[in-house]
Amino acid sequence: MADKVICITSGKGGVGKSTVTANVATALAMKGYKVAAIDADIGLRNLDLVLGLENRIVYDLVHVVEGVVPAEKALVKDKRTKNLYLLPAAQTKDKSAVKPEDLIRVVEELRDKFDFIFIDSPAGIEEGFKTAVAPADTIIVIANPEMASIRDADRVVGLCEAMQKPEPKLVINKIDPAKVARGDMLDVDDVTQILSLDLLGVVPEDKNMVAYINRGEPAVLFPESIAGRALRNVAERLLGKEIPFMELKVQESFLDKLKKLFGSD
């Protein structure tokens, strides 16, 4: 697989980059692929928390860059999925501690040992973003269906073009069919039309996602999770499979069911 180094970015914080990274990496590892996930958000690491690995970190990305240990020595093996490894970000350094050429070198050190390498980019479009996308074969932009997120995602697309990187693919995260139906949220067609990117996934709002993150358990581990199912589909599409997008329906409320039952308007 040529496109094995995948950077997940957004431009805006809080859209779910780390969650998507953890879940898609886990989904591919569950299928038997050997996967490394690199947290490039120096000083603000979160990927270890989403994966439930925060208590097992000894070395981090800055230790590797500074030559304290080789990259393989700093990898933390996932507790549940034997093929998944995390290279955590440093918690006490700033983004200037890792330059684009440093991350390229680290990725090249790992490239032949893994089927996929994911890079979780820091929010924003400054130095940390440029470092994170530097080694990437594929870039995935995460956007929420709101104008601020879409505008920031569009800025990322322009920067990728200026850096002569491949055009990003798009994952729309946290879409709520009820809000879309009420006109309170942009729908999938609105977002794809504005950004004009290939759509890789649509992840619906999942009421259990906060609990999964707090427990350090990716949603893809739970067959009943609607977000987990959508994120497993993203992994399948990265493998080149043609998977139809989920039909997002408004869930009927208990009150609506009562009205129907008693014939009330």
Side-chain angles (χ1 to χ4, degrees):
M1 286 166 285
D3 290 357
K4 66 160 61 180
V5 182
I6 300 163
C7 179
I8 297 186
T9 186
S10 68
K12 183 179 186 296
V15 300
K17 288 188 313 303
S18 297
T19 302
V20 172
T21 303
N23 277 275
V24 177
T26 299
L28 287 166
M30 288 166 66
K31 292 180 69 66
Y33 294 96
K34 194 173 181 185
V35 182
I38 300 174
D39 191 343
D41 196 354
I42 311 300
L44 292 170
R45 72 183 182 210
N46 282 312
L47 195 53
D48 57 319
L49 292 171
V50 184
L51 289 168
L53 298 174
E54 67 276 11
N55 294 324
R56 300 177 63 191
I57 294 171
V58 178
Y59 300 108
D60 57 47
L61 178 57
V62 172
H63 288 126
V64 177
V65 167
E66 292 177 345
V68 176
V69 290
E72 277 193 284
K73 178 84 171 175
L75 293 172
V76 181
K77 194 174 188 300
D78 188 63
K79 294 182 291 188
R80 304 171 196 85
T81 315
K82 66 178 182 178
N83 296 317
L84 179 61
Y85 297 80
L86 169 69
L87 179 52
Q91 186 76 332
T92 57
K93 304 284 186 177
D94 61 37
K95 291 173 176 56
S96 64
V98 180
K99 306 292 186 188
E101 58 271 22
D102 296 326
L103 191 58
I104 289 171
R105 178 171 51 79
V106 172
V107 167
E108 287 307 310
E109 193 177 330
L110 296 172
R111 185 183 281 269
D112 292 339
K113 300 175 178 70
F114 289 90
D115 297 309
F116 289 97
I117 298 171
F118 285 87
I119 300 169
D120 185 16
S121 169
I125 53 174
E126 307 302 331
E127 184 178 4
F129 160 78
K130 292 174 181 175
T131 296
V133 300
D137 305 316
T138 296
I139 298 167
I140 299 174
V141 171
I142 312 299
N144 296 158
E146 56 186 57
M147 285 309 302
S149 175
I150 293 165
R151 183 172 62 184
D152 289 345
D154 191 50
R155 180 81 174 111
V156 165
V157 174
L159 285 171
C160 289
E161 184 178 356
M163 295 171 69
Q164 299 184 312
K165 302 300 291 184
E167 184 176 81
K169 301 179 186 299
L170 174 65
V171 170
I172 303 172
N173 193 30
K174 302 181 184 177
I175 193 157
D176 185 331
K179 290 181 180 178
V180 172
R182 292 197 304 266
D184 295 337
M185 180 177 278
L186 298 172
D187 66 18
V188 171
D189 289 341
D190 293 331
V191 179
T192 53
Q193 194 167 10
I194 293 167
L195 291 174
S196 298
L197 297 175
D198 286 343
L199 186 61
L200 189 66
V202 178
V203 183
E205 190 73 68
D206 187 329
K207 67 182 188 303
N208 295 315
M209 189 60 84
V210 172
Y212 296 147
I213 292 169
N214 286 340
R215 296 199 305 261
E217 297 176 331
V220 294
L221 297 171
F222 301 94
E224 70 276 12
S225 168
I226 186 172
R229 191 159 76 246
L231 289 159
R232 287 194 297 272
N233 288 344
V234 171
E236 295 285 357
R237 294 187 193 104
L238 279 174
L239 294 171
K241 297 181 183 177
E242 292 188 12
I243 306 291
F245 292 99
M246 291 165 51
E247 187 178 346
L248 301 179
K249 296 179 180 178
V250 178
Q251 296 297 312
E252 193 173 43
S253 70
F254 179 68
L255 185 59
D256 288 335
K257 289 177 183 176
L258 282 177
K259 287 179 177 178
K260 279 187 180 179
L261 183 64
F262 294 105
S264 173
D265 290 332

